[in-house]
Amino acid sequence: MDKLLKLEKYQLLHNSIYWCGMIGIFILGFFTADTYVTEVMGPTEEIVSSLADIFNGMVYDSTFLLIIMSAILALILGQEFSKRTINLEVSAGHSRKQIFTSKIISYLIAFNLMALVYPVSGCIREFGRFGVADVGMFFYNIIKAIIYSCLLNSAIFLIAILICCYLQDVVKATSVTAIIIFGLSLYLGYGMMLRLPVGFLPTYQIRIVVSMKPFFQPIAILVGCIWSGILVLLSWIKFCKCDFK
């Protein structure tokens, strides 16, 4: 398992597509940070007054970036299926369980880090304007946003992993992933306006969490765990049936 994790880490760290996505999101966050200074924050309609508000506001709005990040994930993982590099890992004597687990861990860590680049770049841009007046409250908000965004974003990234396991083709997996995540984003946007049921969406729960002050958000935890559990199970079932010979 350790060797597989190191291999996945090496492949991602030397993948130009991953780094282009990381740099692109950093630049986007850095140059759009000023727009959050004058905007109200989420459904609570509170004016931004601190660096923590900038971070929360950018996490709130970063759900649209999940379309791009999920497509990048599908592109990178899809290449492993198309180029049959997974077959080499099987031929090397690694079990399917070890391979599957190492990919789940590596890809979720890598792309949750990519998702956090957006609000972090905004905080870097706005640090000179707001500073950190209340260090304790700042880190409270940051830690809460990071924990819940990682939990709930993982559910979205697992959709891309599931699609890759089923389609096993880089072009199809990337296209279908982008379409599905875009469809979920559209439903979230119009669902909130038309008051349709959106509470089951991880992207909606992210917005709720950063808009609320309490740390413990049981509904968000439940939604994230259910989505992740189901998607991991379905991905594993299909992964076991893939032909890697």
Side-chain angles (χ1 to χ4, degrees), residues 204-218:
Y204 176 75
Q205 291 301 327
I206 292 174
R207 296 185 167 202
I208 292 298
V209 167
V210 298
S211 301
M212 305 288 287
K213 291 184 178 180
F215 191 94
F216 184 62
Q217 300 287 337

Side-chain angles (χ1 to χ4, degrees), residues 114-152:
M114 184 183 286
L116 291 172
V117 163
Y118 183 69
V120 168
S121 63
C123 287
I124 293 173
R125 174 69 182 273
E126 300 302 326
F127 181 80
R129 185 193 299 266
F130 293 103
V132 182
D134 188 338
V135 177
M137 185 56 66
F138 173 75
F139 281 105
Y140 171 83
N141 280 277
I142 299 303
I143 292 171
K144 178 167 71 76
I146 289 174
I147 290 174
Y148 282 99
S149 62
C150 286
L151 171 65
L152 296 162

Side-chain angles (χ1 to χ4, degrees), residues 1 5 21-22 30 40 44 72 118 123 162 169 175 191 202 215 240:
M1 176 67 77
L5 288 171
M22 187 79 82
F30 190 83
V40 295
T44 57
I72 294 173
Y118 183 69
C123 287
L162 174 64
D169 179 87
S175 302
F215 191 94
C240 288

Side-chain angles (χ1 to χ4, degrees), residues 29-71:
F30 190 83
F31 286 103
T32 59
D34 277 347
T35 63
Y36 290 88
V37 176
T38 56
E39 293 292 326
V40 295
M41 221 294 282
T44 57
E45 298 187 353
E46 295 178 359
I47 300 297
V48 168
S49 60
S50 67
L51 201 61
D53 289 339
I54 293 290
F55 191 93
N56 284 335
M58 296 187 78
V59 170
Y60 183 97
D61 281 345
S62 65
T63 50
F64 77 93
L65 288 173
L66 292 174
I67 303 169
I68 299 172
M69 290 184 286
S70 297

